Amino acid sequence: MAPPTPASSTKKKVPLKPCPEPTKMTDRPGSVQDFSALRELLKPHIESFDYMADQGLQKMLEHIAPVQLTSIRGKFLNFMPYYAKFCCFDFLCFYSVPDCVGAFFFQQCRQAKISYTGKFTADICFQYNDGAIIRDNVDFGQFPIMLKSKLCHLRDVDPRKLASYKEEASEMGGYFILNGLERVVRLLILPKRNYPMSLVRNSFSGRQEGYTDKAVIIRCVRADQSSVSLKLYYLHNGSARLGFWMRGREYLLPVGIVLKALIDTSDREIYVNLTSCYNEKYEKGKGVVGTQLVGERAQIILDEVQELSLFTRLQCLEYIGKHFQPMMAGHVNDSFPNVAESVLKNYIFVHLDQNFDKFNLLIFMLQKLFSLVDQTSVPDNPDSLQNQEVLLPGHLITLYLKEKLEEWLQKGKRLLQDEIEKQDKTFIFGDILQVKKLMGKNLSKQISTAVENMLKTGRLVTQTGLDLQQRAGYTVMAERLNFLRFISHFRAVHRGASFAGLRTTTVRKLLPESWGFLCPVHTPDGEPCGLLNHMTSTCRITSFYDSQGNIKQDYSEVKKSILKVLIAVGMTQSVPKLVLPGPPQVLTVLLDGCIVGCIPSIQVEKVVAHIREFKVSSCLEIPDDLEVGYVPLSMGGAYPGLYLFTSSSRFVRPVRNISIRSDGDKNIELIGPFEQVFMEIRCPDGGDGGRKSSFPATHEEIHPTGMLSVVGNLTPWSDHNQSPRNMYQCQMAKQTMAFSSQTIQHRADQKLYHLQTPQSPIVRTSAYTKYSIDEFPTGTNAIVAVLAYTGYDMEDAMILNKSAVERGMFHGQIYQTETIDLTDQGRRSDRSSKVFKKSNVEKFACPALDSDGLPHVGQLIRPDEPYCSIYNEVSNSTHSFKKKASEPVYVDYVAVDGKTKKPFQKVNIRFRHPRNPVIGDKFSSRHGQKGVCSQLWPDIDMPFAGNTGMRPDLIINPHAFPSRMTIAMLLESVAAKGGSMHGEFVDATPFRSSVKKESEESESKSVSLVDELGLKLREKGFNYHGLEVLYSGVYGTELTCEIFIGPVYYQRLRHMVSDKFQVRSTGTIDQVTRQPIKGRKRGGGIRFGEMERDSLLAHGAAYLLHDRLHTCSDYHIADVCSLCGSMLNTTFIQPLKRPVREIGGLPPGRAPKKVTCHACRTSKGMETVAMPYVFRYLAAELAAMNIKMTLKLSNGAGA
Amino acid sequence: MEGGVSYARMPRVKIRDLKDDYAKFELRDTDASIANALRRVMIAEVPTIAIDLVEIETNSSVLNDEFIAHRLGLIPLTSQRAMSMRFSRDCDACDGDGQCEYCSVEFHLLVKCMTDQTLDVTSKDLISSDHTVTPVDFVDSSLAEPSDTSTNRGIIIVKLRRGQELKLRAIARKGIGKDHAKWSPAATVTFMYEPEIHINEDLMESLTLEEKKEWVESSPTHVFDIDPVTQQVSVVEPEAYTYDDEVLKKAEAMGKPGLVEINAKQDSFIFTVESTGAIKASQLVLNAIEILKTKLDAVRLSEDTVEADDQFGELGAHLRGG
């Protein structure tokens, strides 16, 4: 049989764009960039939201079951179905403040601290009996809109226009603005949909008596993205149970009943189906999954059903219906079979419509389960990316919205029901107007508010749990600390909050399956290590849009055409009553979790290659992101089969299919992590990678940098660094004080870091140009000398040249915004009476303020000076806001909300904290080499080069290199030196040696990187290795060795001493213990803890110990009664009973402070003892527990 | 050092190259401490005038006030007057508030952009109250087109677009580079020891032409050359040698140690001085010597030195000028 050649269809697919080869290092000046590479990074977010707006919501509405309402009124019985359907769905990008017309721009939302929303309405359909459908348009409130999505009115605005709207020219959207804050929906890892996964988990055996630890799990997803997970447990007796969750409880059904209830079938048919995977012919060999035991188990399953005396389908349905009727809402008076049907429809294999398909899948899962038990296949790894997909923002919102709408319908039903039951004559059920009016009481606008709150807090408020593992942490703030941190939020994939608390490290492991999809370098170290990953720069997420941005064909169409292709290449299609054989003769073919047929195993490889050809070719029959998961026959490996996936939210990445001859980019194929495991992909260096000839490579990586994330790709020559250093750099790049935004003057972020004099790095990777990082540079090319010069560069400290800093190096500022909203100041009653105004009385009290109570722009405000004043017209009092800071700040701007009432109510005041480098600030190179500035060293004392007179900007210690092995930093220094002398940027794309050059010349290969860079230096009269003879700046003599010196791109990190230092002599104390309070903000102290105490004890520094723990803490002099030893009931100060005789002219004599013991009724034994105040507190606490504490006083050595 | 160098020496200066902002000279018969002292004084202690206080009246530009003030400070001002000016901290005329004519120069800047084209605010827009103290004019003398305005536009301070305005008053004061880099008159001051290069001719002759070439090429700078006729290796430019020892290493690698002998003369230095334009390079050197002298005088005349006289005998007397 010859496979048909790919048919050409009317519409032509444009070949996928691979990541462009790095060629140009600079951009043409003056040209407008299109930022398409950046937009590509955010596509998963935007496309999923677009789909929700396009079709997703409609699909979701179709999946909402109509709510039925029955009423009994008077004489006649009214059967009133109350049918709801949403048809119309439209968004308007208008914010509905009455006197505010016109679309809001993002900037206005951020500035005014409002949400970027659109109106969300839907049609509710009412239908009486089978009468006409009456539609009612209901307003569901202001729905949050993702920026730059289809619903956003600035979607297709060009960069130039965006800039005129006070937006970033490169604005990419993908996030929401909620109360002025930018929030991103976190991408979450979910189990791969519609794929039965075999698992071994100890918790399974604890489920009930008789359960083993083995099960097959499938997460079934409906077209509206809602999902139901099913578990097929294996029992010790050989049978199996199908478990699913319904309303917070797991229900377990014997499989036999489900099998019989699904279709009309006989015991024999079930038996034959189950044992189809076992054939006596193949005793033990490659790809054999069934054993003799399968037949016995099938017998047990059938016997179980018989024991319950269930023989026919109807009996099974009744059995299920009887048990589930109480749980199924809306089926109160339904017949048992109907209830069962709805259970099967809504809970069992919800991704399939046909019961026959469900039956086949269940048989398949049983076979897989039995194979797992018989150890003819290994369990799947749920922590591997192979069995995972991702939760996208649009899908999450759709899910959440669905539940909220269902709740709303149920609430509406209850409202109507209550009204009917009231027997109130005024309410006529048949009158649609009255029904509508009543529905109006059901607050429809809360739906959007609920979604907005979900996005604001990241918390799901749900009863069903939506088949998701966690309740909180779905959204995060998209911090704009710098651009890299910002985009990393969109590329981050979290494993799930439930894994964070897990003690085991298995989930955090870097598995080979994630190669090319998740960056091995870009994960934080510490607590979220391995749980928070980042997608590689080439990784994409499948969506409902094709590569041109057109919405994909309907699924049924896609399925039909795929089936057509499959049948053409020799697949036996599955039809009812036909028993398909199992491995090893044939391989079962599953398409999105539906068994569509089987392919003889000898042909399957050809078929797979053929489908791949179709995938790559420009025809529409097979989508280009189809995942061809061919699990080959093996000796007890993964369960074999051909698993095809067309669904969305899968990871895919482009690789070159070299079995298809093509020039250029016509052979780029998108592959997923499921198929990748079984594919042979070679490195593009032209070698075989140690591959055996029996497994020839079929695919080739486009470029090795595709395995790194965007941030990871920015490290120059990261392949020359020790890998943890690259991880640290990924961390530090994201906490660099940089050029965070080009619209910084319009922004109202709480805190914004800004580098005043950034530079473009001389040494840069191809990704730097590709993602236009030059728009947001993160550091400065500093001349770095590597030497131990003063001793101030020990232990990762670094010396900055004072003059270099004075000339502007690493200068920066922090912008901080205070929002003052009069509408939420104080109580409701006096809100309206407040205005921004300076006090009339003390006119000259605060010169910083203008008469309108606001500061002047550019004004310097010192600590504890007022920056804003509010005047209450009713109480005639002023209230001023004081700046709590340790340093003076400048007023950067004052923005007032002029759109609302005349005396404005809302003000944003932005302050500017100058942050020029000081001792203690943190800096780092791009190679995980961080250091703290230890001195600003005078320029004249710095070493200088004899011939050029060059003095370093920065000195680091040579000890930073041997153990860290950041060779790339040395390379960068040499390369940047050569580059700056030649006046050109240097390409530092990693893995250069692993790429086949286009014009391969054998001799050029031998030239190593160092040689290339060294020659460039030599051309300009420098030492080949970047060394230079330096002279001491202090003595003018030659330093005894040559010094490695050159420009290195340095970043200034956001950790600055000015934000961290903490000092205290005296200050506020805790009310209860009288010890100093903690916290830098409140002027507290630093805890002198147990370990510190231990060290002082060990040193014998008793006086210091006493000083720290007592004198400077809660020193207290207590009166103790030595007679009874109590310190609590003794301290009554005896009130002076007799009146004090006053002697004229003399001041009243101070009554002697007399302390008596209440218990002993005498003051004889009173002594004063110095003690920590907490000791008294302890005594009081103990007394409260009826424990008396007595002190025995003695004199010094007396003991 | 042979012969025991006496501290009573008469240093000699030979000027090689002198331009307005560039000077190259030899300093002989002295030692590194003097040479380095001269270098340090030139960078950090020769006074210039630079903007030190900025009062901003209007600033609607994209840069914030501190940024503009910082940029203004870094603009070099012609500072011939600086040596005779007073530091405002010890000015009697104005009680040290630094606003009198003896210790300060006032500048004004008033620019508003009225067109749709971006307007560059440059150092040329600074209006000085004293015609001797003005922003340094960067006219490249090599370009014989003084009228060409496109190349002669001063230092850009900020760019304005339509409607933006910058209005400020700035006070320039005298200061030294030690206090802030903006007062440093030197862009670069460096010196190197003069090398003494002796080629061992006998050993050199034992090399083939190939080897000679290879050896000559091993120096990254052009120090040696081969005579095309006689094929003899000669030192063409000894000062290009950077003490990188490349040729020595090469000779060693070729199995000919001692092929060349290179020593740094300990008592002669080649200075390179580049000025920011605030004062002429020649003036910079002279001022530096002047300041160095004043400093030495301060030591000589100090009370402590007199006391030390008794303790240190001859040395103390010498210090005092005895």
Side-chain angles (χ1 to χ4, degrees), chain A residues 33-108:
Chain A
Q33 295 176 326
D34 64 342
F35 305 109
S36 58
L38 281 177
R39 271 175 231 288
E40 180 72 38
L41 295 177
L42 271 74
K43 261 203 175 147
H45 290 259
I46 291 175
E47 281 187 339
S48 74
F49 195 86
D50 281 354
Y51 177 71
M52 183 185 91
D54 264 0
Q55 290 187 355
L57 273 174
Q58 200 51 53
K59 278 230 169 77
M60 179 268 280
L61 294 176
E62 281 162 16
H63 277 82
I64 291 180
V67 173
Q68 252 181 28
L69 195 65
T70 321
S71 99
I72 310 153
R73 293 237 317 125
K75 278 184 184 168
F76 59 94
L77 193 78
N78 223 349
F79 207 82
M80 290 294 175
Y82 158 46
Y83 181 66
K85 200 179 176 207
F86 298 76
C87 303
C88 158
F89 186 79
D90 85 329
F91 278 97
L92 290 167
C93 276
F94 290 91
Y95 185 68
S96 58
V97 167
D99 54 343
C100 155
V101 192
F104 264 76
F105 292 127
F106 313 147
Q107 188 265 335
Q108 289 165 308

Side-chain angles (χ1 to χ4, degrees), chain A residues 71 189 741 834 887 931:
Chain A
S71 99
I189 292 278
S741 164
K834 280 185 176 173
E887 63 203 335

